[in-house]
């Protein structure tokens, strides 16, 4: 039975009740719905406690829940994208790095990864057709956070420059830590 999410005031969990007693060898499935109250960088820990053979047992499990699960893709034109891009100039609003590619540099795979994280892929925005320009909204109870991303591959040197900007401080660094290892 779910007991709590530890060290996690930025997510709210809603669980369906389950029977408090299980027969030997039986299984139970418990659905957990999560709502992001605010942005977050660390994955939550699920604490489970139960009685077995007269003794209380406890399990702590890291949930595979990342801030990217609360992103929604956004479509916009070049003028809107670059107007927003230029407005996000605070030091805590941008994360950027040039790094060696960790996987083969395949345009279609890169596009699928970006879409999988919840960003749109905005075609025809960047003058270089090899670059990816993307936008998303992070949906939280505290409010929406605009997120913009540029991924610039350099096929000759097998390197990328990834830049993420967000309208709330430190969201860009949380997204960067999740996304950059996939390229």
């Amino acid at each position: 039975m779910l007991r709590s999410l530890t060290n996690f005031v930025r997510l709210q969990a809603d669980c369906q009740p389950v029977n408090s007693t299980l027969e030997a060898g039986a299984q139970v499935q418990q659905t957990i719905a999560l709502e992001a109250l605010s942005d977050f960088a660390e994955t939550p820990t699920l604490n489970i406690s139960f009685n077995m053979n007269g003794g209380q047992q406890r399990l702590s499990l890291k949930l595979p829940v990342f801030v990217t699960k609360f992103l929604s893709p956004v479509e916009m034109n070049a003028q809107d994208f670059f107007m927003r891009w230029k407005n996000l100039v605070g030091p805590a609003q941008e994360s950027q790095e040039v790094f060696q590619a960790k996987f083969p540099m395949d345009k279609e795979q890169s596009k699928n990864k970006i879409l999988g994280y919840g960003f749109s892929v905005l075609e025809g925005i960047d003058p270089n057709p090899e670059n990816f320009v993307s936008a998303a909204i992070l949906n939280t109870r505290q409010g929406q956070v605009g997120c913009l991303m540029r991924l610039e591959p350099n096929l000759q040197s097998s390197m990328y420059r990834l830049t993420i900007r967000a309208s709330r401080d430190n969201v860009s660094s949380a997204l960067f830590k999740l996304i950059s290892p996939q390229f």
Side-chain angles (χ1 to χ4, degrees), residues 144-159:
Q144 294 184 328
V145 180
C147 304
L148 303 176
M149 178 170 66
R150 293 183 74 190
L151 179 66
E152 302 167 81
N154 183 325
L155 299 174
Q156 291 75 28
S157 62
S158 295
M159 298 186 82

Side-chain angles (χ1 to χ4, degrees), residues 97-107 109-110 113 151-162 179-183:
E97 189 175 315
V98 176
F99 55 89
Q100 195 70 39
K102 297 163 193 74
F103 300 97
M105 297 180 80
D106 179 89
K107 187 169 185 162
Q109 285 183 3
S110 294
K113 289 176 185 181
L151 179 66
E152 302 167 81
N154 183 325
L155 299 174
Q156 291 75 28
S157 62
S158 295
M159 298 186 82
Y160 286 104
R161 177 168 63 181
L162 175 62
I179 295 172
S180 65
Q182 302 308 312
F183 293 96

Side-chain angles (χ1 to χ4, degrees), residues 5-132:
L5 288 174
T6 349
N7 299 327
F8 233 79
V9 296
R10 296 180 180 215
L11 284 177
Q12 180 175 327
D14 183 31
C15 306
Q16 295 178 344
V18 295
N19 290 334
S20 60
T21 305
L22 295 176
E23 298 298 321
Q27 296 182 14
V28 66
Q29 181 175 333
Q30 186 173 26
T31 302
I32 305 168
L34 296 173
E35 178 186 9
L37 301 177
S38 180
D39 58 276
F40 59 94
E42 301 298 321
T43 57
T45 300
L46 174 68
N47 293 314
I48 302 170
S49 62
F50 57 94
N51 291 319
M52 184 173 76
N53 299 330
Q56 186 164 16
Q57 306 293 315
R58 294 177 195 267
L59 294 175
S60 292
L61 305 171
K62 285 282 197 184
L63 288 179
V65 177
F66 304 96
V67 71
T68 54
K69 292 299 178 190
F70 300 94
L71 290 176
S72 300
V74 174
E75 295 296 325
M76 64 181 70
N77 62 32
Q79 181 181 353
D80 289 341
F81 179 87
F82 286 110
M83 180 185 70
R84 286 173 170 81
W85 186 263
K86 290 174 185 173
N87 286 333
L88 300 172
V89 294
Q93 291 181 313
E94 178 182 275
S95 291
Q96 181 183 78
E97 189 175 315
V98 176
F99 55 89
Q100 195 70 39
K102 297 163 193 74
F103 300 97
M105 297 180 80
D106 179 89
K107 187 169 185 162
E108 197 60 33
Q109 285 183 3
S110 294
K111 180 179 179 178
N112 289 336
K113 289 176 185 181
I114 292 167
L115 293 170
Y117 277 113
F119 280 86
S120 62
V121 173
L122 304 172
E123 304 286 345
I125 301 286
D126 196 290
N128 181 344
E130 296 301 313
N131 293 346
F132 293 93

